[in-house]
Amino acid sequence: MHALRHDILPPSGVEFAATLKLTPSTITGSSSQEKLPRVLTNVVVSRSNLLRIFEVWEQAPQISTYIEDERERRAHVRKGTEAVEGEVEMDEGGEGWVNMGSVKATAKKDPSMVSRFHFVREHTLHGTVTGMESVRIMSTYEDQLDRLLVSFKDAKIALLEWSDAAHDLVTVSIHTYERAPQMVSLDSPLFKSELRADPLSRCAALSLPKDAFAILPFFQTQAELDTMEQEQNHARDVPYSPSFVLDLVSDVDERIRNVIDFVFLPGYNNPTIAVLCQSEQTWAGRLKEFRDTARLYIFTLDLMSRNYPIITAVDGLPYDSMSLLPCATSLGGVIVLTSNSVIYVDQAARRVALPVNGWAARVSDMPMPPADKDLGLYLEGSRLVFVDEKTFFVIRKDGMIHPIEIILDGRTVSKLVLLPVIAQTTIPAVAKPLNDDLLFVGSMVGPSVLMKTAREEVPLELPAEQTGAATTINFSDSMDLDDDDDLYGDSQAITQATVGATSGTSTMTKTRSIIHLSLCDSLPAYGPIADMTFSLAKNGERFVPELVAATGAGHLGGFTLFQRDLPTRTKRKLHVLGGARGIWSLPVRQSQRVNGLSYEKATGPFSTEIDTIIISTDANPTPGVSRIATRTAKTDVAIPTRIPGTTISAAPFFQRTTILHVMTNSIRVLEPDGNERQVIKDMDGSLPRAKIKSCSICDPFVLILREDESIGLFIGETERGKIRRKDMSPMGDKTSRYLAGCFFTDTIGLFDIEATETTPAAHADKNTSTLQAAVTAGNRSQWLVLVRPQGVMEIWSLPKLTLVFSTTAISTLENILVDSRAPAALKPQDLDIDQILVAPLGETSLVPHLFVFSRSGNMAIYEALPAPVPTEQADPPLPNPRTAFLKVKFHKVVSKTFEIQRIEETEKTVLAEHKRISRTFVPFVTSPNVECTLAGVFFTGDRPCWIIATDKGGLRVIPSGHTVVHAFTACSLWESKGDFLLYSDEGPTLLEWAPEVQLDSCLPYRSVPRSRAYSNIVFEQSGSLIVAASSLQARFASYDEDGSIVWEPDGNGISFPYADCSTLELISPEHWVTMDGYEFASNESVNTLTCVCLETTSTESGSKDFIAVGTTINRGEDLAVKGATYIFEAVEVVSDPNWTPKRWYKLKLRVKDDAKGPVTAVCGINGYLVSSMGQKIFVRALDLDERLVGIAFLDVGVYVTSLRSMKNLLLIGDAVKSVWLVAFQEDPYKLVTLAKDVRKKHATTVDFFFAGGDLAIASEDEEGVLRLFAYDPSDPESRGGQHLLCHTEFHSHKECRSTIMIARRTKDEQLIPQAKLVSGFTDGSLSTLTPVDEAVFKRLQLLQGQLTRNVQHTAGLNPKAHRIVRNDAVSKPLSKSVLDGQLLSEFQVLGISRQNEITRQIGTERALVLHDWSSLIVPW
């Protein structure tokens, strides 16, 4: 059986982070546009196989929409006069009347600047990231940019740099150590390689198994490179010298074994490494014999002579030492973090300890001061980070931040002082300082945060007896230190905790420094998926499946709700409007008159006007009808004007004082009340022209495109309030043909012209001359984008019509569109571009994007980027050289393929015209909530979708969920900035987005924070309820058989340990309120939770849904573990009328059945309950709804992890004995083993997987290996069917916790649908396993081979090797039957010419492959 494994959701959270200056914008200080904020640095984050690059922007705070709305309200009251108070805020978009010079001058000094993340790029890699570092190589001195070093799970290091030409990361080199002797015999899957880089980038080190480091040295100067060249004939263009493997035991010291952590230390002439190791391993039960087994060794690397002298060796560190943190050069030494204490070790091997609980003195003999008696902290899972030279933060696993100050006595450290908690943040995985005052804390289980640290000097409270003289003496003593930093240093340097700088010579008040933290920004994430289930949600009028996942950990736990389409809510139906051929909602108001000139006051891009009228049009009855509608007082719609004929487009004109209305054969100017001011018939002399098929309106210009591909251009004259034809002679003769065109207004100054010396007039377009132009322009520039049938895209400047950009690469949708510099040779070719649009996308910053859609169904979206103008002249000189060049290039961000239903040519009837689906890009601006304003684009047609770009997630294309959308417009007629009006298969509907939907991931999702994590979740169908088991911690005490307590806390800072416990909650998915619950014992935790259908006499049908729960009862290490099976029923009770929801349910415990072992898995089969207990499987019947009666059992493996049933077949997954296939027989009752996998493999989940007449068994293990088994008694290898045959092994590299089998219905509607598996992983990703037909599989497998060989993969990784599972029992890998969706998805991104080239080599067609691909990747 063949399948496709495809990730529908990338990993969530941050495991590794690096801060560096990677993109050129960090050097110039500005981002890619002129008027945007300053770029401080880059943050590169990774989780699993996802690598994301962000810029950290420093910008003025976002203007509040509340202030805007207030200003708008006052403006209405004051008859359009402008409020003075809000001028600076109003001018965020730079279109107002404030002097921009003065605003810019003050912006830099503004202390209220905020720091924000801004998404740049992301990559899904063919490898699992295990570390990231920033390095500087020799070419850094040329471009000032850092390079990124990334390490991978299979012992590879990739050196990456930013390429401005490709606007992406490119691979400089890849270094692989997977064949090193340490890796070949790798038997511990628990080993994780770590990457560290020298602070001065002289080398990097990767830890390998068996206590070895792979060292990669970098050249820093030309002299180093020259000496290396003389020695080894080394290639000149390589930034590194040959790497080598350093075996710590044989090359450095034989006592360095079992490395725990290692770091490079700053401030040494040679690279210097501190290694924390444990030569003699021990554990808590062995502390009487071996304690303080950890050691610290500091040694230098002499890379030229390969000599490694040890500088410092420290023995006797606590056995639970976990990590190292290097101190600043001025201080020297390292901080060692242990579970119960923090220890400072200097170069002279002096140790200063700070215990944080009473256990520190009990597990270690190291001398340390007594712990504070109220202190009972645990430091497991903590992260350390320095905020300045003598203060570091300990961020504990519950997010609490404790500052620790290092107190100096002269130049030596005398003690560490733990200060009180200053904040609670996310659960940390990584903590990095970004610059002097910014701190990044990344989390794998929740949001990652960017914080600002600020110091404040506060007066120190003095005890009463310490007066005058003593204070002065203390003060002078502290000033006599020979450390000038304390006296003259910058304000960041912290003096001793009790003394600080004076605030004047006369008053001798002591001050001390306090650190304040403020939250700047966060990267949203939901963390690992523990369990998931499908529930029903309402999207508009339709019920849709919603995936409810139990995500997060600790106080960041809760539920995350995923939907395939963007969830919306229907506000009202507006059937009276019609609008099957188009709807436009327009803001039009009465004009102001100044000196006889009519104008509308300019406003910023965010202060959009409230719409006042709606224009809608239908094709039936012939010749069509157009309506102009307004809102009446009672929120209804009135239609005062109806016009025969079909509207092509409408827009506000003359600064929103009139409506420009384009019909199939005329252009009309309408007054706000719908009366006609001017009409221009589209005639050629007295002959009618072809019908107008589309148009673009951008005040004061109008472009029309006719069905014969000719164009017309009109310009509005504000003084007369009329429009006239514009001379198009610069664009060539009248026979020029154009396929598509649009205007674009640039408000951020990205579109910039470089003029040649011969034509100083080229800039005239920028400097507008008339008062009318000055009124409308602000800082805006207007451009015209056109596409010729010969495959050329052109950009013309307005109003002078100068050609400034042309490219032929658009015809094949290449990845980068750059100016071809020459007037394009018009070769006749069949270009099928249907729609083109340039519009801004974004959240806080708007970036122009180019949208292209072709008649064959290809959609491409390009981001506009600034491009330097090349200096070299064309050779030979061109006959008619261009006079101006646009300094812009376009970079492809998204590429999608749509299925196009072809209408037969013969069907040119009225019905065919009515059925015609128009696919158009409609730009919109919306404010779904008070804080957020988004500019996006809606794509209408039969697979409509929203195109949205967010600050933290980049550009996303999200389906809208409608079967077809004929017309769309953003509509604020009802005074809500978040409303949309669309004509879909349900008619004209006013809708809004569901609140609090996150759009920065591949699937739109909502988070339901619950401040606790959940281990299991199930959907109860009869009442549409969610039942979830929360995962909590409770104090644990150990008792003996007689019930007497074994041990009690007996000292300060000593407490009972924690153990897992659970509660069961009954939740309404409508409002996410907990209706009822069940609390288990404090030492009992839920292992499994499922909804089973059991036979019962209490219903007419004879069966009923119950909730079955299996638990573990933990009794400490001296007593055997027990368990229990619970059967609950959700019963409806009479609810209080004031409660929401109206229907109320309770959990009723029907049965509690104690077991001698843990109940680890349960399921239902034919109305009976199947449950595991230890090494047995029991089948039991529910008797009289009050007890379970055993009817069959089977001895199985060691620990049952999962049970799945289908008809009378049962699948058993075991932690040691892999997979069993068992049949259940009812007469007589018995379980019969049909087949089993005889190898010792771990199975975390098992599932049936079938399509047509084929059945396979899918299992996943804790390392992320997917295996497909076949039950085939006819195969001789199966020993008559006793053995399951493993045909496929496919490596996912991440642990799967939960799988759901769903139905997949294909076009050829079989009786039994195919099975599709949705899997949730511990890194927060979701993937699907979809059956693939034989013919499609062969095509895609050939394509996969081509893509492996012929496409450049990020970081130079090998996609094929990434999926291979090491198996010594077979001669070649078993990875043939599963396609890698991650690799195949790269095909869609390629340009059309490249796609044709690849598919030609495998003897198939590009369109066929894209059709296969798009049918397989639907999430569910």
Side-chain angles (χ1 to χ4, degrees):
M1 212 179 140
H2 306 300
L4 167 75
R5 182 60 173 268
H6 177 59
D7 283 356
I8 53 175
L9 202 62
S12 169
V14 172
E15 188 173 6
F16 301 99
T19 165
L20 69 168
K21 292 194 179 303
L22 182 71
T23 56
S25 55
T26 56
I27 303 302
T28 57
S30 75
S31 65
S32 48
Q33 289 86 32
E34 292 171 16
K35 297 182 176 56
L36 281 181
R38 198 161 66 93
V39 179
L40 299 176
T41 181
N42 290 108
V43 175
V44 183
V45 299
S46 71
R47 175 78 204 270
S48 210
N49 63 341
L50 181 72
L51 186 80
R52 290 181 292 164
I53 304 168
F54 292 92
E55 289 175 342
V56 178
W57 287 7
E58 192 180 57
Q59 65 191 65
Q62 193 68 22
I63 57 172
S64 160
T65 51
Y66 170 74
I67 298 172
E68 252 174 49
D69 296 341
E70 276 298 294
R71 189 170 60 248
E72 260 172 34
R73 193 176 57 74
R74 287 199 299 257
H76 285 304
V77 173
R78 300 181 189 181
K79 306 279 188 295
T81 55
E82 186 58 42
V84 179
E85 307 88 82
E87 283 179 334
V88 177
E89 294 153 332
M90 180 197 83
D91 206 62
E92 164 130 332
E95 291 189 25
W97 300 93
V98 182
N99 178 353
M100 283 306 289
S102 61
V103 176
K104 274 198 176 129
T106 55
K108 293 285 185 217
K109 306 188 187 75
D110 183 9
S112 67
M113 296 295 271
V114 292
S115 299
R116 292 259 183 273
F117 286 117
H118 190 80
F119 176 85
V120 181
R121 291 287 286 160
E122 74 177 9
H123 283 288
T124 310
L125 308 173
H126 298 285
T128 303
V129 177
T130 60
M132 291 195 297
E133 290 288 343
S134 158
V135 293
R136 301 174 78 82
I137 57 177
M138 273 174 58
S139 51
T140 298
Y141 299 110
E142 298 162 18
D143 57 16
Q144 305 303 310
L145 295 176
D146 300 334
R147 274 37 178 187
L148 180 67
L149 205 60
V150 186
S151 68
F152 297 96
K153 182 176 159 186
D154 47 0
K156 292 188 175 94
I157 302 178
L159 179 63
L160 307 168
E161 68 182 8
W162 183 263
S163 158
D164 225 18
H167 190 66
D168 203 353
L169 283 177
V170 294
T171 312
V172 179
S173 60
I174 181 155
H175 309 263
T176 172
Y177 306 96
E178 57 191 338
R179 299 190 180 215
Q182 287 85 357
M183 294 296 295
V184 171
S185 58
L186 178 59
D187 47 8
S188 166
L190 298 175
F191 178 78
K192 194 167 112 189
S193 57
E194 305 215 353
L195 179 72
R196 302 278 186 270
D198 176 54
L200 297 177
S201 299
R202 290 167 294 197
C203 68
L206 178 74
S207 63
L208 299 176
K210 310 237 171 23
D211 307 311
F213 291 160
I215 307 286
L216 177 63
F218 294 105
F219 296 128
Q220 291 301 310
T221 60
Q222 191 60 42
E224 284 182 30
L225 186 54
D226 293 342
T227 50
M228 183 59 82
E229 254 185 354
Q230 290 160 9
E231 286 177 17
Q232 299 183 3
N233 300 326
H234 203 61
R236 283 196 75 89
D237 55 349
V238 182
Y240 47 83
S241 62
S243 62
F244 59 92
V245 173
L246 173 67
D247 189 325
L248 297 174
V249 176
S250 59
D251 297 345
V252 185
D253 191 302
E254 61 182 15
R255 293 168 299 176
I256 305 183
R257 296 177 187 275
N258 307 313
V259 173
I260 300 166
D261 194 15
F262 71 105
V263 291
F264 280 91
L265 301 184
Y268 287 87
N269 290 333
N270 278 336
T272 302
I273 299 182
V275 176
L276 181 66
C277 61
Q278 198 175 11
S279 45
E280 178 73 49
Q281 291 184 303
T282 186
W283 65 291
R286 204 180 172 209
L287 288 182
K288 284 190 176 154
E289 291 80 26
F290 293 101
R291 58 167 62 194
D292 297 335
T293 52
R295 303 170 180 227
L296 178 73
Y297 292 92
I298 301 177
F299 62 92
T300 58
L301 299 173
D302 190 337
L303 297 171
M304 298 305 268
S305 67
R306 299 279 173 96
N307 196 12
Y308 318 107
I310 289 182
I311 305 173
T312 307
V314 182
D315 290 349
L317 293 172
Y319 84 102
D320 55 356
S321 301
M322 296 182 293
S323 66
L324 297 175
L325 178 71
C327 299
T329 315
S330 59
L331 204 60
V334 290
I335 307 284
V336 181
L337 176 71
T338 76
S339 304
N340 308 303
S341 60
V342 178
I343 303 163
Y344 169 78
V345 183
D346 67 9
Q347 295 98 318
R350 285 185 65 255
R351 297 173 295 181
V352 179
L354 169 68
V356 296
N357 59 36
W359 291 107
R362 298 198 181 192
V363 300
S364 171
D365 293 334
M366 206 180 103
M368 55 178 77
D372 203 339
K373 65 171 180 289
D374 298 330
L375 213 54
L377 307 181
Y378 297 98
L379 299 182
E380 288 96 340
S382 299
R383 296 291 181 269
L384 305 181
V385 60
F386 269 99
V387 283
D388 60 35
E389 289 191 350
K390 304 192 189 76
T391 312
F392 62 93
F393 284 166
V394 176
I395 309 173
R396 288 169 44 219
K397 72 174 178 187
D398 57 358
M400 295 297 180
I401 301 179
H402 297 263
I404 295 184
E405 290 189 355
I406 299 174
I407 308 299
L408 290 177
D409 185 2
R411 284 191 176 278
T412 58
V413 172
S414 59
K415 64 174 177 174
L416 305 176
V417 176
L418 179 72
L419 300 178
V421 172
I422 58 169
Q424 182 174 20
T425 183
T426 187
I427 296 172
V430 59
K432 291 265 179 185
L434 260 61
N435 52 21
D436 296 338
D437 59 351
L438 286 177
L439 179 66
F440 175 68
V441 181
S443 172
M444 292 195 286
V445 297
S448 303
V449 296
L450 181 67
M451 294 185 286
K452 197 181 192 80
T453 57
R455 288 201 162 272
E456 186 191 0
E457 299 292 326
V458 295
L460 191 65
E461 301 294 327
L462 285 178
E465 67 271 11
Q466 202 176 355
T467 53
T471 312
T472 316
I473 292 164
N474 285 355
F475 227 87
S476 57
D477 285 350
S478 75
M479 287 300 192
D480 286 342
L481 297 175
D482 56 357
D483 193 352
D484 286 347
D485 280 350
D486 283 351
L487 199 48
Y488 306 112
D490 59 19
S491 59
Q492 289 296 320
I494 171 181
T495 56
Q496 294 181 11
T498 49
V499 282
T502 55
S503 55
T505 46
S506 54
T507 58
M508 280 294 181
T509 56
K510 286 186 182 181
T511 63
R512 70 179 182 130
S513 193
I514 285 186
I515 298 176
H516 292 284
L517 277 178
S518 57
L519 179 67
C520 294
D521 203 2
S522 67
L523 296 177
Y526 44 82
I529 295 174
D531 197 9
M532 56 189 186
T533 185
F534 274 102
S535 80
L536 274 180
K538 209 165 184 192
N539 195 347
E541 296 295 301
R542 305 179 310 279
F543 282 101
V544 293
E546 181 172 65
L547 186 68
V548 182
T551 55
H555 67 279
L556 300 178
F559 301 117
T560 308
L561 321 176
F562 299 100
Q563 284 196 25
R564 187 186 65 187
D565 311 319
L566 199 151
T568 53
R569 295 199 304 210
T570 302
K571 296 182 83 169
R572 56 165 62 88
K573 299 277 190 180
L574 295 163
H575 288 296
V576 66
L577 272 180
R581 278 283 159 262
I583 303 178
W584 297 267
S585 181
L586 314 175
V588 183
R589 2 192 264 184
Q590 298 301 320
S591 60
Q592 317 291 327
R593 293 194 75 79
V594 177
N595 301 340
L597 170 70
S598 141
Y599 76 94
E600 180 71 20
K601 70 166 200 280
T603 50
F606 289 117
S607 55
T608 47
E609 297 294 329
I610 297 291
D611 294 343
T612 52
I613 67 165
I614 293 174
I615 296 180
S616 66
T617 185
D618 285 276
N620 288 352
T622 313
V625 62
S626 301
R627 305 173 187 84
I628 299 182
T630 57
R631 200 181 102 188
T632 58
K634 293 191 315 215
T635 74
D636 288 335
V637 177
I639 303 178
T641 314
R642 283 183 171 81
I643 306 161
T646 312
T647 303
I648 300 299
S649 183
F653 213 66
F654 295 131
Q655 296 85 43
R656 298 183 179 172
T657 59
T658 59
I659 307 162
L660 192 102
H661 185 215
V662 179
M663 303 186 72
T664 49
N665 57 0
S666 63
I667 296 106
R668 300 152 27 108
V669 180
L670 305 180
E671 301 288 356
D673 57 6
N675 292 330
E676 202 171 274
R677 179 191 291 185
Q678 180 193 5
V679 59
I680 296 182
K681 293 279 184 199
D682 189 31
M683 309 277 278
D684 187 4
S686 59
L687 299 171
R689 294 185 193 243
K691 278 187 178 180
I692 299 171
K693 65 170 180 179
S694 66
C695 82
S696 177
I697 306 170
C698 180
D699 191 4
F701 300 102
V702 183
L703 168 78
I704 58 171
L705 281 108
R706 304 184 187 92
E707 289 180 351
D708 63 354
E709 296 183 352
S710 61
I711 62 168
L713 197 57
F714 298 83
I715 184 166
E717 297 176 330
T718 311
E719 290 86 347
R720 291 175 52 223
K722 300 278 181 77
I723 58 171
R724 62 173 172 82
R725 288 186 186 276
K726 179 161 174 54
D727 174 35
M728 293 192 294
S729 53
M731 299 173 70
D733 54 5
K734 285 190 175 180
T735 57
S736 293
R737 292 286 176 258
Y738 292 94
L739 286 178
C742 71
F743 291 109
F744 171 62
T745 305
D746 180 27
T747 55
I748 56 172
L750 171 67
F751 280 37
D752 189 20
I753 286 182
E754 173 89 9
T756 52
E757 292 77 7
T758 54
T759 54
H763 270 291
D765 284 354
K766 286 271 187 173
N767 310 322
T768 43
S769 50
T770 64
L771 171 62
Q772 168 254 329
V775 167
T776 54
N779 71 330
R780 306 180 305 169
S781 56
Q782 290 174 301
W783 311 85
L784 174 60
V785 185
L786 290 168
V787 180
R788 291 181 184 265
Q790 294 87 357
V792 184
M793 182 182 89
E794 301 173 344
I795 299 179
W796 298 76
S797 71
L798 293 171
K800 293 278 189 289
L801 284 178
T802 313
L803 181 62
V804 292
F805 184 97
S806 70
T807 178
T808 53
I810 190 139
S811 57
T812 54
L813 303 180
E814 296 303 320
N815 284 349
I816 300 263
L817 305 182
V818 291
D819 191 355
S820 58
R821 318 274 303 156
L826 299 179
K827 301 190 299 291
Q829 75 172 67
D830 178 29
L831 176 68
D832 64 348
I833 285 183
D834 185 41
Q835 295 285 329
I836 191 160
L837 172 74
V838 179
L841 284 185
E843 198 172 343
T844 53
S845 68
L846 302 180
V847 181
H849 284 69
L850 168 69
F851 301 84
V852 183
F853 183 74
S854 67
R855 293 191 187 106
S856 58
N858 300 307
M859 179 172 80
I861 304 170
Y862 291 84
E863 181 185 1
L865 300 165
V869 173
T871 49
E872 71 273 3
Q873 289 300 314
D875 193 30
L878 298 163
N880 48 350
R882 286 229 313 265
T883 55
F885 301 99
L886 194 60
K887 295 192 286 188
V888 166
K889 64 180 177 186
F890 295 93
H891 172 257
K892 186 156 75 173
V893 196
V894 168
S895 186
K896 268 181 92 72
T897 309
F898 290 83
E899 290 289 312
I900 301 287
Q901 274 88 33
R902 302 262 174 226
I903 293 178
E904 295 298 320
E905 289 300 315
T906 53
E907 273 197 64
K908 292 279 184 182
T909 58
V910 177
L911 187 62
E913 173 61 23
H914 182 65
K915 279 184 181 172
R916 183 173 63 85
I917 295 170
S918 65
R919 296 178 181 82
T920 51
F921 294 106
V922 185
F924 65 87
V925 176
T926 182
S927 297
N929 54 42
V930 178
E931 296 89 34
C932 169
T933 300
L934 274 171
V937 168
F938 188 85
F939 184 60
T940 65
D942 58 350
R943 275 175 60 192
C945 49
W946 305 86
I947 303 166
I948 295 158
T950 58
D951 283 350
K952 321 225 180 102
L955 194 142
R956 302 285 175 199
V957 180
I958 306 169
S960 79
H962 297 89
T963 314
V964 61
V965 171
H966 295 286
F968 170 91
T969 180
C971 174
S972 56
L973 192 68
W974 284 269
E975 289 177 5
S976 163
K977 297 274 183 73
D979 287 357
F980 302 100
L981 186 58
L982 52 82
Y983 191 102
S984 67
D985 45 329
E986 299 169 6
T989 312
L990 186 75
L991 52 80
E992 64 178 358
W993 290 350
E996 295 171 5
V997 173
Q998 298 271 4
L999 302 172
D1000 45 34
S1001 191
C1002 294
L1003 295 175
Y1005 67 92
R1006 283 183 301 145
S1007 290
V1008 182
R1010 306 279 293 181
S1011 73
R1012 55 192 173 278
Y1014 291 84
S1015 58
N1016 304 82
I1017 181 170
V1018 72
F1019 181 66
E1020 204 274 341
Q1021 293 176 12
S1022 57
S1024 293
L1025 303 168
I1026 296 281
V1027 183
S1030 63
S1031 176
L1032 306 168
Q1033 297 271 298
R1035 295 281 187 188
F1036 179 80
S1038 195
Y1039 295 85
D1040 58 17
E1041 291 282 12
D1042 305 328
S1044 15
I1045 198 161
V1046 174
W1047 176 86
E1048 288 187 88
D1050 52 356
N1052 291 333
I1054 303 287
S1055 59
F1056 280 119
Y1058 285 96
D1060 290 333
C1061 71
S1062 294
T1063 60
L1064 204 62
E1065 296 182 26
L1066 184 68
I1067 300 165
S1068 159
E1070 203 177 335
H1071 302 280
W1072 293 100
V1073 292
T1074 301
M1075 297 180 174
D1076 194 19
Y1078 182 86
E1079 202 162 313
F1080 298 98
S1082 62
N1083 62 338
E1084 188 171 12
S1085 58
V1086 171
N1087 297 323
T1088 177
L1089 168 70
T1090 190
C1091 188
V1092 293
C1093 181
L1094 301 180
E1095 288 183 1
T1096 175
T1097 53
S1098 60
T1099 62
E1100 287 180 17
S1101 62
S1103 63
K1104 194 176 185 181
D1105 284 347
F1106 293 91
I1107 306 295
V1109 182
T1111 65
T1112 293
I1113 300 168
N1114 184 2
R1115 304 192 297 160
E1117 55 191 20
D1118 298 327
L1119 297 176
V1121 175
K1122 289 191 172 181
T1125 308
Y1126 295 81
I1127 303 290
F1128 291 94
E1129 184 184 354
V1131 293
E1132 190 169 357
V1133 295
V1134 179
S1135 67
D1136 189 304
N1138 302 324
W1139 290 349
T1140 54
K1142 293 291 179 225
R1143 300 182 70 176
W1144 204 261
Y1145 292 82
K1146 293 267 189 207
L1147 275 177
K1148 186 174 183 182
L1149 176 62
R1150 288 292 188 186
V1151 180
K1152 180 187 176 188
D1153 187 70
D1154 289 320
K1156 291 178 182 171
V1159 179
T1160 54
V1162 294
C1163 78
I1165 188 167
N1166 293 356
Y1168 301 101
L1169 179 74
V1170 186
S1171 63
S1172 72
M1173 187 202 78
Q1175 291 85 29
K1176 286 187 170 59
I1177 295 284
F1178 290 96
V1179 180
R1180 289 181 286 188
L1182 183 63
D1183 185 29
L1184 302 173
D1185 286 4
E1186 60 185 28
R1187 64 193 183 114
L1188 291 171
V1189 179
I1191 55 174
F1193 79 94
L1194 181 72
D1195 285 316
V1196 287
V1198 178
Y1199 181 97
V1200 176
T1201 56
S1202 58
L1203 291 171
R1204 291 281 190 278
S1205 65
M1206 187 174 70
K1207 296 186 176 177
N1208 69 329
L1209 294 176
L1210 186 66
L1211 272 184
I1212 303 166
D1214 193 85
V1216 178
K1217 296 291 183 79
S1218 194
V1219 182
W1220 293 36
L1221 177 63
V1222 173
F1224 173 57
Q1225 176 185 310
E1226 288 194 58
D1227 188 17
Y1229 290 116
K1230 69 174 178 181
L1231 288 167
V1232 182
T1233 306
L1234 298 179
K1236 54 187 174 185
D1237 180 22
V1238 288
R1239 299 173 305 164
K1240 281 195 173 180
K1241 294 291 177 192
H1242 184 125
T1244 51
T1245 64
V1246 291
D1247 275 284
F1248 292 101
F1249 184 60
F1250 50 86
D1254 297 329
L1255 170 71
I1257 294 163
S1259 92
E1260 308 227 18
D1261 70 10
E1262 57 189 349
E1263 288 175 46
V1265 178
L1266 165 73
R1267 293 185 174 88
L1268 291 182
F1269 296 93
Y1271 173 59
D1272 185 4
S1274 63
D1275 191 315
E1277 285 185 23
S1278 71
R1279 306 275 176 93
Q1282 293 178 35
H1283 293 180
L1284 288 173
L1285 302 174
C1286 179
H1287 282 321
T1288 304
E1289 293 182 317
F1290 181 89
H1291 217 314
S1292 305
H1293 295 276
K1294 48 197 176 186
E1295 184 188 346
C1296 171
R1297 288 274 183 88
S1298 171
T1299 58
I1300 303 176
M1301 182 171 72
I1302 58 175
R1304 175 178 183 253
R1305 290 179 172 83
T1306 52
K1307 295 261 183 2
D1308 49 336
E1309 275 301 329
Q1310 295 166 325
L1311 194 60
I1312 301 172
Q1314 299 179 349
K1316 181 171 180 171
L1317 297 181
V1318 181
S1319 308
F1321 295 90
T1322 50
D1323 62 358
S1325 60
L1326 279 174
S1327 77
T1328 56
L1329 190 69
T1330 312
V1332 181
D1333 295 337
E1334 182 86 26
V1336 175
F1337 177 80
K1338 284 179 177 169
R1339 268 196 300 273
L1340 293 179
Q1341 191 177 33
L1342 288 169
L1343 177 67
Q1344 190 169 286
Q1346 287 292 326
L1347 291 171
T1348 304
R1349 294 185 291 273
N1350 296 344
V1351 173
Q1352 285 280 342
H1353 303 292
T1354 312
L1357 296 165
N1358 182 346
K1360 189 175 177 184
H1362 181 54
R1363 298 304 184 192
I1364 286 176
V1365 179
R1366 179 172 165 177
N1367 185 346
D1368 297 331
V1370 292
S1371 57
K1372 61 183 193 184
L1374 299 171
S1375 55
K1376 281 271 191 262
S1377 296
V1378 175
L1379 296 167
D1380 183 2
Q1382 182 187 332
L1383 174 59
L1384 287 169
S1385 61
E1386 295 180 19
F1387 179 73
Q1388 197 163 316
V1389 183
L1390 301 173
I1392 292 175
S1393 53
R1394 191 92 170 81
Q1395 288 177 341
N1396 284 328
E1397 181 189 326
I1398 286 179
T1399 49
R1400 195 168 51 246
Q1401 290 170 347
I1402 58 174
T1404 184
E1405 289 185 8
R1406 167 185 163 274
L1408 189 59
V1409 168
L1410 288 169
H1411 167 74
D1412 294 340
W1413 176 244
S1414 58
S1415 66
L1416 287 170
I1417 57 167
V1418 183
W1420 50 74

